[in-house]
Amino acid sequence: MPEKPRVTVLAGGVGGSRFSMGVREALRRRGAPEATVVVNTGDDLWLSGVRLQPDIDSVLYALGGVNDTVRGWGRAGDTERVNEELQAWGAGWPWFTLGDLDLGTHLARTGWLREGLTVTDVVARLAGRWPLGIRMLPMTDSEVDTHVLLAGDVRMHFQEWWTRHRAALAPLGFENPGIAAARPAPGVEEAIREADVVLVAPSNPVVSIGPILAVPGIREALAAARGRVVGVSPVIGGAVVRGMADVCLTAIGVETSAAAVAAHYGPRRTGGILDAWLLAEEDAALAASVEAAGIRAVVAPLWMRDLELSAALADAALAAAGA
Ligand code: GDP
Ligand code: CA
């Protein structure tokens, strides 16, 4: 692998942005980084007349250094005046808060979409405001919001299930209507195929990485990638680190274990996506079963508690690709 590798990351929101911060830092230390992050847009939704892209915004705000690190989402120092007005009108969802600064992003985005810009164009404009140091691409320009299928033929937008019900209603499955007709956004396939290394962030395998892989053409690009594909486990010691991804895994019949998630992604040489998989030290005993599944297992510290640890994790992933 070259000393200054071209890196492409596949990412969701919070786990994806922490990992992207680490990748940017690790590459900066190597000088002249060139990285692309392909972000999930399966979380997107229309609310109160504006288009929200939670994972895009999480990555944008984190890389731009304007995210609320205490709360874990949204803009630092945001207020909720407009949200209070919306609630008073009975508009939107009472359990879904839209910050004032955040609404500025949504209004700008929606205006540009209405003027005919593609999602890729809009993301490029948003990314132009702060020096991100990483090229950000949406996985697709198509609207492919995630729906959750529930008992009794009930279908619910993912955000309602996740935010309002805290994933407490047992899901039967997840769907991205229209995804079969979607195409990867311009530049995504090239970024994957031509990278020296592709990194799969420790994001939710079902509703963050899942929709990215479901865009027709992306699995093919991963299969044809000339660099190695290295994934990082979002499961440590049999539990997801933050959030409720375990409920999503259970719904698709995957055990909440680092080895089971690796097997779910599968080895690249038999139609899966991975060449190597990073497991936490807590999960070292699972390395043999990952290797038996045909994926190189690398044990490393996977906790992204601060930038230093995230950069060390990114370094370990880059090393796993070079070996
Ligand atoms: P979301 O879109 O905001 O839900 O975020 P992602 O899908 O990008 O990431 C959520 C996943 O990140 C969760 O399932 C966690 O297991 C994982 N995660 C969060 N923090 C860490 C961490 O410090 N280390 C690792 N390995 N995984 C993490
Ligand atoms: Ca997400």
Side-chain angles (χ1 to χ4, degrees):
M1 194 171 58
E3 196 189 326
K4 295 176 182 176
R6 278 181 300 172
V7 177
T8 294
V9 181
L10 308 186
V14 173
S17 52
R18 276 171 195 262
F19 186 66
S20 299
M21 298 272 292
V23 169
R24 179 177 68 181
E25 184 62 20
L27 290 177
R28 269 185 185 160
R29 292 176 189 174
R30 292 170 189 230
E34 238 193 86
T36 300
V37 56
V38 176
V39 182
N40 172 43
T41 59
D43 281 10
D44 297 5
L45 71 158
W46 287 99
L47 190 65
S48 293
V50 291
R51 187 69 173 156
L52 313 189
Q53 299 195 286
D55 287 2
I56 292 276
D57 291 350
S58 291
V59 176
L60 173 74
Y61 296 158
L63 289 174
V66 296
N67 59 319
D68 187 326
T69 51
V70 179
R71 198 172 46 169
W73 54 274
R75 289 281 297 275
D78 212 346
T79 47
E80 295 172 8
R81 290 197 69 198
V82 179
N83 197 64
E84 281 161 26
E85 273 303 282
L86 288 169
Q87 307 286 328
W89 288 117
W93 284 336
W95 34 267
F96 200 94
T97 307
L98 297 171
D100 295 330
L101 300 177
D102 213 13
L103 268 163
T105 310
H106 308 326
L107 285 168
R109 169 168 39 235
T110 306
W112 290 329
L113 290 171
R114 291 269 186 253
E115 286 164 20
L117 267 66
T118 64
V119 174
T120 303
D121 296 336
V122 169
V123 167
R125 277 203 190 174
L126 294 173
R129 178 155 173 206
W130 300 289
L132 300 189
I134 287 190
R135 180 169 67 133
M136 193 165 78
L137 297 176
M139 67 187 197
T140 180
D141 280 342
S142 306
E143 284 186 16
V144 291
D145 303 22
T146 303
H147 292 178
V148 185
L149 309 178
L150 302 166
D153 243 358
V154 175
R155 173 186 286 270
M156 190 180 282
H157 195 285
F158 171 73
Q159 293 295 350
E160 180 172 6
W161 177 74
W162 188 257
T163 309
R164 180 185 192 180
H165 297 288
R166 313 297 303 159
L169 306 174
L172 303 177
F174 302 88
E175 264 178 24
N176 300 96
I179 204 159
R183 296 291 309 146
V188 167
E189 287 166 293
E190 295 78 353
I192 292 171
R193 274 203 313 265
E194 288 157 27
D196 296 306
V197 47
V198 178
L199 301 176
V200 181
S203 289
N204 187 317
V206 185
V207 295
S208 289
I209 304 299
I212 299 178
L213 299 178
V215 177
I218 291 194
R219 278 184 173 274
E220 290 76 0
L222 285 162
R226 58 182 194 81
R228 287 207 171 83
V229 182
V230 179
V232 179
S233 178
V235 176
I236 299 181
V240 292
V241 179
R242 293 178 188 84
M244 308 163 282
D246 49 334
V247 182
C248 305
L249 286 167
T250 305
I252 63 159
V254 176
E255 195 193 327
T256 302
S257 99
V261 175
H264 166 66
Y265 285 143
R268 192 150 74 119
R269 54 186 154 79
T270 57
I273 64 161
L274 295 176
D275 295 309
W277 184 241
L278 264 63
L279 304 107
E281 289 152 317
E282 295 88 325
D283 291 317
L286 298 175
S289 101
V290 172
E291 296 261 347
I295 300 163
R296 188 161 165 260
V298 176
V299 174
L302 297 197
W303 291 94
M304 300 185 288
R305 286 202 184 87
D306 56 32
L307 184 60
E308 202 54 48
L309 290 171
S310 300
L313 173 55
D315 259 326
L318 292 172

